[in-house]
Amino acid sequence: MTKAAHVLVVTPHPDDAEFGVAGTVAHWTSEGKVVIYVVCTNGDKGTSDPNMKPAELARIREQEQLAAAKLLGVKDVIFLRHPDQALEDTPEFRKELVRLIRMYKPETVVTADPYRRYIWWHRDHRITGRVTLDAVFPYARDWLSYPDLLEEGLKPHKVKEVLLWGAEEPNYRTDITVTFAIKVGALSCHTSQINDTHSTELEEWLRERHTILAQGEDYELAEAFYRIEIPW
Ligand SMILES: [Zn+2]
């Protein structure tokens, strides 16, 4: 009934985890850590091609996500297949995440920062981050939250830390200098999301971005997060 993972990555759309945490994921898996991806939406609105059909796009994006995860050494990818741009903070969605946290018992959960302000943050990112934090605490932790999950053998689980990508004021950085090339490769798997211009400039753009995130550190390239340690 329960499986063990060190890290659960909860991503709103296929490709967000690659932007946010792929360099760090590649580090973790190279150290032998078990990383599981949970993809909340099917990404079926993510196109500028007016001829693309949503069902076809969803199918393509699952394949792209699986290819990226394989490159990063992610052990398993779970697709929740909620419709893109339609994620809501519902009891059902929260329970899906609680179930997975109790099933995999991760020490670390990684997701999108829900508290980034203004327009440059997708609504699905805000909802995913918020519901994931709720699922970690208190719902996955408390004995009486879900009697039916207990009956299934899914006991409460205490996550030790949460990392939020996209934070406006990060307090935690990871060195991705060595794994940067794998990150670029993983992002390149998301062909439907990278237009021709972007494709040629992707590596350059990423290098600039991750150099800025590493400012003040003694290494070249970083991913940055808001890190929450959970003491209880
Ligand atoms: Zn997204």
Side-chain angles (χ1 to χ4, degrees), residues 12-16 122 125:
H13 307 104
D15 83 353
D16 293 321
H122 197 293
H125 296 200

Side-chain angles (χ1 to χ4, degrees), residues 73-84:
V74 170
K75 188 175 181 196
D76 208 356
V77 184
I78 293 148
F79 294 101
L80 299 182
R81 300 187 174 117
H82 291 281
D84 195 356

Side-chain angles (χ1 to χ4, degrees), residues 121-181:
W121 212 219
H122 197 293
R123 175 181 165 79
D124 290 340
H125 296 200
R126 289 199 300 275
I127 305 268
T128 298
R130 200 166 75 199
V131 177
T132 303
L133 286 175
D134 287 342
V136 166
F137 171 83
Y139 291 90
R141 187 203 67 166
D142 285 355
W143 278 96
L144 301 179
S145 299
Y146 293 102
D148 55 331
L149 292 186
L150 264 186
E151 274 179 31
E152 288 179 37
L154 294 171
K155 291 182 183 163
H157 174 68
K158 294 179 186 178
V159 173
K160 292 199 174 119
E161 66 169 356
V162 178
L163 302 181
L164 302 172
W165 70 67
E168 289 180 337
E169 292 170 358
N171 63 356
Y172 184 72
R173 289 174 171 78
T174 55
D175 179 358
I176 64 157
T177 312
V178 172
T179 55
F180 177 73

Side-chain angles (χ1 to χ4, degrees), residues 6 14 29 34 43 82 89 94 106 136 175 184:
H6 298 92
T29 58
V34 174
H82 291 281
D89 182 347
R94 186 167 68 235
V136 166
D175 179 358
V184 174

Side-chain angles (χ1 to χ4, degrees), residues 10-80:
V10 185
T11 178
H13 307 104
D15 83 353
D16 293 321
E18 276 65 54
F19 277 108
V21 70
T24 309
V25 165
H27 255 301
W28 283 327
T29 58
S30 73
E31 292 169 350
K33 290 190 172 176
V34 174
V35 179
I36 305 289
Y37 268 19
V38 180
V39 185
C40 297
T41 75
N42 62 14
D44 71 352
K45 307 285 192 299
T47 184
S48 53
D49 175 0
N51 298 316
M52 176 63 82
K53 299 281 183 284
E56 174 65 1
L57 181 58
R59 191 192 64 75
I60 291 168
R61 296 197 68 182
E62 282 199 6
Q63 295 308 311
E64 292 171 350
Q65 182 64 88
L66 287 170
K70 188 174 179 189
L71 197 65
L72 295 169
V74 170
K75 188 175 181 196
D76 208 356
V77 184
I78 293 148
F79 294 101
L80 299 182

